[in-house]
Amino acid sequence: MTEKEQEKLLKELLQKHKTGKLTPSERFKIPPQDMQEQDPIARRKNVNEVALGYPETNARMEALRCLQCKNAPCVKGCPVRIRIKDFIAAIVDGEYAKALAIIKENSLLPAVCGRVCPQEVQCQQTCTVGLKFKDPTKSVSIGRLERFVADLDQDNESVPAVAAETGMKVAIVGSGPGGIVAAADARRVGHDVTIFEAFHKTGGVMVYGIPEFRLPKAIVQREIDVLEEMGVEIITNFIVGRTRTIEQLMKEGGFDAVYIGVGAGLPSFMGIEGESLVGVYSANEYLTRANLMKAYDFGKGADTPIARSRKVAVVGGGNVAMDSARTAVRLGAEKVYLLYRRTEKEMPARVEEVHHAKEEGIDFHILQSPKRIIGDENSHVIAVECLKYQLGEPDDSGRRRPVPIQGSEFRIDLDTVIIAIGNIANPLIRQTTPRLEFNKWGNIVVDEKCKTSMEGVYAGGDIVLGAATVILAMGQGRIAAAAINEYLAEKKKSLAR
Amino acid sequence: MSHKIVSKKRLSEDVFTAEIEAPLIASARKPGQFVIISINNEYSERIPLTIADADPERGIIRLIWQRVGKTTAELADLQEGDEITNISGPLGRPTHVENFGTVVCVGGGIGNAPLLPITKALKKAGNKIISILGARNKMLLILEDEFAQTSDELIITTDDGSYGRKALVTEPLREICQRSPKPNRAFVIGPAIMMKFCCQITKQFDVPTVVSLNTIMVDGTGMCGGCRVEVDGKPKFVCVDGPEFDGHKVNFDLMMKRLDAYKDQEQKAYEQHKKHRCKIGLD
């Protein structure tokens, strides 16, 4: 369909919609709108964003596919309960500012979540349209629509209003998605909010972890700018636990409440032979060098080096594994293998990311995993010895357990291995905050309001949940901020008495 | 928040020291800890450097570094009044200090810098301090006076005999271990190869030995794992588990290989930097 035909069709559909004559079966007939993407060959050589977003015509067409179900199953699928059908209705009406306002009632970072939320297992999984086609990929593309309205707003600075100063001080530890949301919500009611970030740049996993080609840094920076315009103070290079402890912040720094959103922390390794060889990276290190430190520009300005790999194996099946594999391609690797112990069906990565990885030529080796990593006389990686697996009985996670096949060893020659099998809790806060309660995995124990065992201290995101997503961290940041605001209101009242 | 260089001095051909404004770190830091710096925001590398000393009242920390690559060379080019954009810390677990009895402190080259505050703290805790400082030649020896002040006995060695004993530090270390009673503990900080051989000696004499490792790091808070070393056959993170470890359990051979991981790239970057520097007439 040409652009003109598309516009004509949209006009007809809108006309019908306005008079209430657009039937569900006619809505089902509207084809799911594809989003333009950078060409797979071209994008192997750049770090620019892959998915390009909807033009207005496609966005409104896609929005018209929404049936406006009374029971709105999509909303139940959303971790922060965005009024999805209402914002989609606003898009149909061309009222984009209204659509954004509806999203922002529940989500502060729509430009981020529209890009990185796993919609296919959240709102789009429960979408009636997808269920009708028995294909979740045919659901209304809620995430793309969210991104559409969020991106339109990128130029119109909209800074949330801030209430009169309360005189209460809130410390936010970590400037990732949870910290950003908690900071904004605590600042809105008039608290004096300071974010402490360990790195020299703000944004947490959104700047060191998620690559530019999936989430441009400028989008994250804009959210940080909004916080600063609201009057939130941001202190970088400040390691809570080391520069000052949480107790010091409260006793000496005068902070009345603290939100801990420090993220996951230590990368897990497999515990196999050869994991300390030169050329073996944790995904965290590989991605941090490439993203935060811009190692892709090494020798062209950037001072942080990264392996110049020819053949790379990434171990794991999550989004971080996909990000690592796709980053390796962009850094010039000729061959990138993805080794995963289970099958594609069990992969925790988003379907879209798996699809993008395949398009970019990543070679998927499912039901395979390294048994040991082999080095040369200089301790440089030269190969991995792998085992083949088959799926057995379901395990605790409900996924079928991978069982190694005895004697199935085989060798892949390569020069770089990236381990992307998750993280364990960072011990820094635990080592330096004796009064805080942790579970046996080192995660902070909190109640349903994200309150910890220490008065005035709240926590959320990966340091509580183990491994979470941007949206879950955001959700907890919001819950914690509400609890902090409530706690401080009480505290102020009792001080006034 | 930028950090102003208050004073800067050259200690030997390639070793420099500077006092830098960093009040938060100055008051929080303990012996054994380090900082990570990057000179500018966008493209600068993050490198770990030892805190050689601090003055909480003046809000300054003292760093000592050796010019070995582009970043340390850029740092050496900065002058009093210039600023370093990012300094984060203090990082790592502080040294465990107690009165062990007699402690032998062995420093090699730039390793004297991290060793000094540890030695001071050990002295303050009541230990008898025997210090052994090694350098390739007299010109490269640093912090001799400071160690003289804090040591009960000070032994200097140079590879070429231009100062002190013509020997490697392992030679006097062996002699001290042979004394009766033998030292209760050893602290060894220097090049990996030196720590390796010192640990072989102290192991023979069963003298518990602490080493402080300076591996390649990115974040310094446990997040990347680039700094990992094998200790007792298990991977440990220098930034959060260290930087100090039982020297008898560290796999120094593997550590040395990991330290060289980016050697070629770093060499090239340094060469380029030097060339550029000549062109703009700094040298």
Side-chain angles (χ1 to χ4, degrees):
Chain A
M1 210 183 297
T2 67
E3 222 168 285
K4 273 229 167 101
E5 287 167 342
Q6 179 109 353
E7 274 168 26
K8 190 165 161 256
L9 175 63
L10 176 65
K11 222 172 168 184
E12 285 167 20
L13 290 168
L14 283 171
Q15 196 57 41
K16 257 188 155 175
H17 166 82
K18 264 180 206 149
T19 52
K21 283 181 191 149
L22 192 63
T23 63
S25 64
E26 281 171 305
R27 290 181 194 268
F28 287 135
K29 279 188 199 131
I30 304 171
Q33 303 293 300
D34 286 330
M35 180 164 47
Q36 277 194 343
E37 289 171 353
Q38 254 202 86
D39 174 71
I41 306 289
R43 73 188 193 227
R44 280 175 62 99
K45 294 198 162 50
N46 69 56
V47 294
N48 303 335
E49 191 169 19
V50 167
L52 301 173
Y54 275 150
E56 189 178 2
T57 313
N58 296 75
R60 290 184 87 178
M61 197 84 100
E62 184 68 24
L64 279 167
R65 297 181 63 233
C66 173
L67 303 175
Q68 293 289 313
C69 309
K70 278 220 169 61
N71 60 348
C74 49
V75 179
K76 295 190 187 91
C78 173
V80 295
R81 303 278 182 272
I82 293 173
R83 291 198 285 128
I84 291 165
K85 70 169 195 176
D86 296 337
F87 95 73
I88 291 181
I91 294 176
V92 171
D93 295 340
E95 295 185 44
Y96 307 125
K98 183 179 162 196
L100 186 63
I102 294 170
I103 297 173
K104 285 209 166 176
E105 288 168 13
N106 301 76
S107 167
L108 265 180
L109 310 173
V112 175
C113 293
R115 286 173 167 80
V116 302
C117 256
Q119 289 101 7
E120 65 276 10
V121 294
Q122 297 176 356
C123 51
Q124 291 174 206
Q125 188 179 44
T126 50
C127 171
T128 313
V129 178
L131 293 176
K132 149 87 183 169
F133 288 110
K134 296 195 175 69
D135 180 356
T137 65
K138 292 208 166 75
S139 294
V140 176
S141 289
I142 299 165
R144 294 172 181 178
L145 291 174
E146 180 183 23
R147 170 181 170 169
F148 167 73
V149 285
D151 284 1
L152 282 182
D153 186 55
Q154 289 292 303
D155 308 322
N156 314 329
E157 293 290 319
S158 57
V159 179
V162 173
E165 300 292 332
T166 61
M168 302 297 241
K169 284 176 76 178
V170 179
I172 307 286
V173 187
S175 65
I180 290 176
V181 170
D185 282 0
R187 180 66 193 138
R188 269 202 254 229
V189 301
H191 299 316
D192 178 357
V193 178
T194 306
I195 297 181
F196 296 97
E197 167 58 44
F199 263 128
H200 59 290
K201 277 194 190 152
T202 41
V205 70
M206 298 183 289
V207 300
Y208 74 73
I210 303 175
E212 178 79 13
F213 57 80
R214 206 149 73 78
L215 177 63
K217 309 273 176 291
I219 287 169
V220 181
Q221 188 52 49
R222 189 174 168 280
E223 303 300 339
I224 303 285
D225 291 344
V226 168
L227 285 183
E228 287 193 296
E229 281 164 41
M230 288 171 75
V232 171
E233 190 181 354
I234 296 173
I235 301 181
T236 52
N237 297 309
F238 192 109
I239 299 129
V240 172
R242 290 262 181 251
T243 312
R244 289 294 181 272
T245 63
I246 287 172
E247 294 214 349
Q248 283 173 325
L249 287 179
M250 298 183 87
K251 277 188 190 146
E252 297 159 23
F255 284 95
D256 301 283
V258 178
Y259 173 75
I260 306 172
V262 294
L266 276 59
S268 296
F269 287 93
M270 304 176 73
I272 59 172
E273 186 188 323
E275 270 183 308
S276 293
L277 291 168
V278 178
V280 182
Y281 286 89
S282 73
N284 287 359
E285 182 184 0
Y286 195 76
L287 291 174
T288 302
R289 283 179 183 273
N291 291 324
L292 183 75
M293 307 308 294
K294 300 191 168 72
Y296 49 80
D297 278 345
F298 182 79
K300 290 177 276 177
D303 291 336
T304 302
I306 195 164
R308 284 165 300 185
S309 314
R310 287 184 53 238
K311 287 184 176 178
V312 180
V314 177
V315 184
N319 289 319
V320 175
M322 300 304 148
D323 287 345
S324 304
R326 297 173 66 197
T327 297
V329 163
R330 283 161 176 77
L331 286 169
E334 292 156 22
K335 188 81 200 165
V336 180
Y337 305 96
L338 188 114
L339 307 177
Y340 184 56
R341 291 187 307 165
R342 309 183 202 234
T343 70
E344 208 175 303
K345 208 176 119 213
E346 286 82 18
M347 277 188 181
R350 297 189 59 196
V351 175
E352 187 181 315
E353 302 312 326
V354 171
H355 171 72
H356 282 151
K358 284 184 174 169
E359 275 187 342
E360 289 167 15
I362 312 292
D363 193 351
F364 279 53
H365 283 220
I366 52 158
L367 292 168
Q368 294 176 12
S369 190
K371 185 185 170 191
R372 66 185 179 109
I373 305 169
I374 302 163
D376 64 10
E377 66 284 358
N378 289 317
S379 298
H380 285 254
V381 173
I382 51 165
V384 285
E385 187 178 84
C386 292
L387 269 174
K388 291 184 179 165
Y389 284 71
Q390 57 193 7
L391 290 183
E393 294 301 306
D395 63 10
D396 295 344
S397 70
R399 296 180 299 177
R400 290 177 65 191
R401 190 191 304 271
V403 184
I405 301 169
Q406 294 308 317
S408 65
E409 286 88 348
F410 67 99
R411 181 181 155 125
I412 304 175
D413 290 336
L414 42 72
D415 50 51
T416 307
V417 179
I418 303 168
I419 314 280
I421 57 167
N423 293 291
I424 53 173
N426 193 316
L428 240 171
I429 299 286
R430 191 180 40 189
Q431 283 172 4
T432 56
T433 322
R435 281 171 56 215
L436 207 56
E437 192 189 331
F438 291 83
N439 69 15
K440 63 176 171 179
W441 297 283
N443 297 113
I444 299 175
V445 177
V446 298
D447 68 8
E448 71 286 353
K449 287 185 169 175
C450 293
K451 186 182 180 316
T452 70
S453 57
M454 259 172 91
E455 193 186 326
V457 179
Y458 299 76
D462 277 8
I463 191 67
V464 166
L465 299 167
T469 55
V470 167
I471 186 81
L472 284 173
M474 264 183 49
Q476 288 209 309
R478 175 144 274 189
I479 291 167
I484 286 172
N485 292 344
E486 201 178 316
Y487 166 74
L488 292 182
E490 277 303 310
K491 191 171 171 180
K492 207 175 176 191
K493 249 191 259 167
S494 67
L495 285 176
R497 255 177 234 144
Chain B
M1 190 177 65
S2 283
H3 303 269
K4 195 191 255 178
I5 298 175
V6 180
S7 73
K8 190 195 135 197
K9 235 172 40 192
R10 193 174 192 156
L11 294 182
S12 72
E13 193 187 343
D14 281 319
V15 178
F16 300 81
T17 182
E19 289 183 314
I20 301 162
E21 280 176 1
L24 289 171
I25 298 170
S27 57
R29 95 9 128 175
K30 293 193 175 75
Q33 292 186 303
F34 60 94
V35 290
I36 285 194
I37 71 143
S38 62
I39 298 174
N40 297 308
N41 230 13
E42 272 311 304
Y43 270 152
S44 284
E45 189 181 14
R46 290 168 64 94
I47 57 164
L49 291 175
T50 306
I51 308 168
D53 206 350
D55 184 343
E57 259 148 51
R58 289 167 61 214
I60 56 153
I61 56 171
R62 182 176 176 202
L63 302 181
I64 295 181
W65 70 96
Q66 186 166 13
R67 186 163 59 186
V68 289
K70 185 180 177 208
T71 302
T72 45
E74 280 178 349
L75 198 56
D77 289 343
L78 296 180
Q79 303 300 329
E80 284 177 17
D82 287 346
E83 289 184 342
I84 295 170
T85 309
N86 303 297
I87 303 185
S88 79
L91 294 160
R93 306 176 83 142
T95 306
H96 171 69
V97 175
E98 63 172 66
N99 190 348
F100 299 105
T102 300
V103 177
V104 54
C105 296
V106 189
I110 187 80
N112 296 2
L115 187 63
L116 181 64
I118 297 171
T119 308
K120 279 186 184 169
L122 288 166
K123 176 73 185 167
K124 209 173 154 193
N127 290 283
K128 183 186 169 201
I129 307 288
I130 306 169
S131 296
I132 307 172
L133 303 182
R136 284 209 311 278
N137 59 52
K138 188 184 176 191
M139 299 298 290
L140 298 178
L141 180 71
I142 60 165
L143 302 175
E144 184 193 355
D145 292 346
E146 285 88 339
F147 273 94
Q149 278 170 31
T150 192
S151 310
D152 295 279
E153 188 181 341
L154 175 64
I155 301 161
I156 310 275
T157 68
T158 51
D159 295 7
D160 64 355
S162 53
Y163 192 57
R165 257 173 87 170
K166 182 175 192 288
L168 298 174
V169 288
T170 41
E171 218 176 275
L173 177 62
R174 178 184 295 277
E175 291 160 15
I176 289 161
C177 287
Q178 281 164 339
R179 287 182 193 171
S180 177
K182 67 180 183 191
N184 302 86
R185 191 160 287 241
F187 283 79
V188 181
I189 310 180
I193 187 87
M194 176 204 110
M195 293 192 280
K196 177 185 165 176
F197 285 110
C198 285
C199 287
Q200 283 178 1
I201 288 170
T202 56
K203 197 170 181 186
Q204 282 171 33
F205 294 94
D206 209 15
V207 175
T209 302
V210 177
V211 293
S212 179
L213 308 182
N214 187 354
T215 51
I216 294 171
M217 285 183 193
V218 185
D219 65 300
T221 61
M223 201 272 294
C224 85
C227 63
R228 66 194 185 278
V229 286
E230 240 179 58
V231 180
D232 214 8
K234 292 187 191 71
K236 291 279 177 195
F237 290 8
V238 171
C239 64
V240 289
D241 298 322
E244 293 176 6
F245 294 98
D246 178 347
H248 296 159
K249 292 182 175 161
V250 172
N251 182 342
F252 287 106
D253 292 333
L254 187 55
M255 178 184 147
M256 284 185 257
K257 303 287 188 194
R258 285 188 67 83
L259 279 170
D260 282 346
Y262 301 103
K263 205 171 159 188
D264 296 348
Q265 294 179 61
E266 278 165 351
Q267 203 80 44
K268 219 177 259 174
Y270 190 23
E271 292 306 323
Q272 245 177 27
H273 169 77
K274 281 197 271 194
K275 234 187 257 166
H276 179 68
R277 202 168 170 274
C278 288
K279 265 191 211 143
I280 59 173
L282 275 171
D283 259 352

